[in-house]
Amino acid sequence: MQTMHRKNDLPSSDLNLLLVLEALLEERHVSRAAMRLNRSQPAVSHALARLRDIFGDPLLVRGEGGLQPTARALQLAEPLAEALALVRSMADPPTFDIGRCSRHFRLSLSDYGTAILLPPLVARLRKAAPLIDLSVVSYGRDRALAALIDGEIDLAVGVYPELATAGRRDLRSDLLFQETFACLSDESDQPGALSIERYLARPHVRVTVALEDDSEIDAALARLGHKRRIAIQIPHWSAAPELVRGTDLVLTAAKRSLETLGKGSLRCSEPPFRLAGFPFVQTWHRRREKDAPHRWLREEIAVAARGSTGV
């Protein structure tokens, strides 16, 4: 009888309960869900209690890093997203006024991505969407993709070869541009081309946010039976070029970040071994696919990226 009662409760429930469930599943935090819904925290907690009674399941339980969905909540996530997308497609106007849209987006961007994309993006936002706020974090690759899935961030911009692996089916991506590698070295004491022998003999600067992130450069060297010595490893791209100046260090990084630095004794050159280029993308969870302000932001990021490539 209790199960029957719950089933009969669901059709008569306020649609707002499903909006609360959606926000909680994406935010994994009562306070953040309340801010997103423009409700009080007690109101969201009360709605969660009603949802638990209706579905006969805790739905979200406390865990490391915030609320964690139960198996039943994960089972509900996809049909919930589809149902709400259908309702919104019927109820929402075909266009929205971005100039009056108040929204807070959370992005993961590397130091390099921040430098080339954020200035033109912010300039466009301040003119067209002054009520849009951005918070930028710099996560390693795995953490950024996990944060997208957990609803901790709205967009991740960078290099994500892991998107093709199992478990990433719910993520969508858009190619912003193709990037290649270049080497930066100080040739004041050793003028001449940077051969593979000289490249391997010299110590290197490696830029990576997370210690566990794989390096395409080291993987390419390993395939050739080589290994370079990493003398300095830092998380900030902007500091790396100055570490090269006046030293024997070599920095191998995105060409766009180095090509304007090859002045004086500093030389920007092609890598002395075959090193494939890589796609620079923006990626998001499919639950955001039809979110109009989110889609608008993705389009603005694409425009900013085209400007950074001179297209």
Side-chain angles (χ1 to χ4, degrees):
M1 288 295 292
Q2 188 176 11
T3 301
M4 181 73 72
H5 173 69
R6 286 178 181 140
K7 286 182 178 178
N8 288 337
D9 255 356
L10 187 56
S12 61
S13 296
D14 190 336
L15 177 62
N16 285 330
L17 283 178
L18 298 183
L19 296 175
V20 171
L21 180 56
E22 176 193 45
L24 286 168
L25 287 174
E26 293 182 5
E27 302 293 343
R28 309 289 174 94
H29 196 281
V30 171
S31 295
R32 288 203 300 262
M35 289 178 61
R36 171 173 162 174
L37 296 166
N38 196 26
R39 295 191 186 187
S40 68
Q41 184 173 336
V44 172
S45 296
H46 178 68
L48 177 57
R50 290 181 61 193
L51 286 161
R52 285 168 169 165
D53 182 59
I54 289 170
F55 289 103
D57 186 90
L59 297 176
L60 293 118
V61 296
R62 295 197 178 278
E64 186 176 353
L67 296 174
Q68 299 300 320
T70 64
R72 176 62 172 145
L74 292 174
Q75 184 184 35
L76 290 169
E78 185 169 350
L80 174 66
E82 292 175 353
L84 289 178
L86 179 61
V87 171
R88 285 169 176 144
S89 69
M90 294 185 294
D92 288 350
T95 59
F96 70 102
D97 185 355
I98 190 61
R100 297 186 178 186
C101 179
S102 178
R103 190 76 174 266
H104 180 198
F105 288 106
R106 296 153 299 179
L107 282 64
S108 177
L109 275 165
S110 66
D111 193 19
Y112 163 64
T114 298
I116 64 171
L117 288 182
L118 212 55
L121 176 63
V122 169
R124 292 178 65 86
L125 292 185
R126 297 313 305 154
K127 290 180 180 178
L131 299 181
I132 296 288
D133 297 330
L134 299 180
S135 291
V136 177
V137 296
S138 185
Y139 287 163
R141 292 174 180 174
D142 287 340
R143 186 181 178 192
L145 297 183
L148 284 174
I149 293 169
D150 290 344
E152 181 184 343
I153 59 175
D154 300 292
L155 270 167
V157 183
V159 182
Y160 296 102
E162 301 87 346
L163 283 173
T165 63
R168 311 296 190 188
R169 292 186 301 273
D170 288 337
L171 298 181
R172 304 288 183 263
S173 66
D174 174 41
L175 175 65
L176 297 177
F177 53 81
Q178 284 288 143
E179 180 62 289
T180 57
F181 286 104
C183 298
L184 189 71
S185 57
D186 191 314
E187 301 299 325
S188 55
D189 293 333
Q190 302 182 51
L194 187 64
S195 65
I196 184 65
E197 291 78 17
R198 289 182 63 196
Y199 182 89
L200 294 172
R202 294 170 73 164
H204 293 257
V205 181
R206 180 184 176 193
V207 180
T208 179
V209 174
L211 293 175
E212 68 274 10
D213 275 354
D214 293 330
S215 165
E216 295 87 348
I217 302 160
D218 294 295
L221 285 170
R223 287 192 292 270
L224 297 172
H226 300 310
K227 183 178 181 180
R228 61 178 178 161
R229 175 192 161 208
I230 305 298
I232 306 293
Q233 181 162 299
I234 59 173
H236 305 299
W237 160 80
S238 58
E242 284 306 308
L243 300 182
V244 172
R245 191 183 304 276
T247 73
D248 59 347
L249 290 165
V250 177
L251 170 64
T252 307
K255 186 175 183 179
R256 195 171 282 104
S257 68
L258 302 180
E259 55 189 358
T260 61
L261 302 175
K263 300 175 182 178
S265 62
L266 289 182
R267 174 179 293 172
C268 180
S269 59
E270 297 294 322
F273 58 98
R274 184 176 177 80
L275 195 52
F278 53 92
F280 196 82
V281 306
Q282 58 177 330
T283 181
W284 62 95
H285 196 279
R286 68 180 182 85
R287 70 172 74 93
R288 310 287 195 196
E289 187 76 15
K290 296 183 179 180
D291 180 334
H294 193 283
R295 184 169 60 248
W296 182 88
L297 179 63
R298 299 196 305 263
E299 292 169 354
E300 289 299 300
I301 289 174
V303 171
R306 286 197 295 272
S308 75
T309 60
V311 176

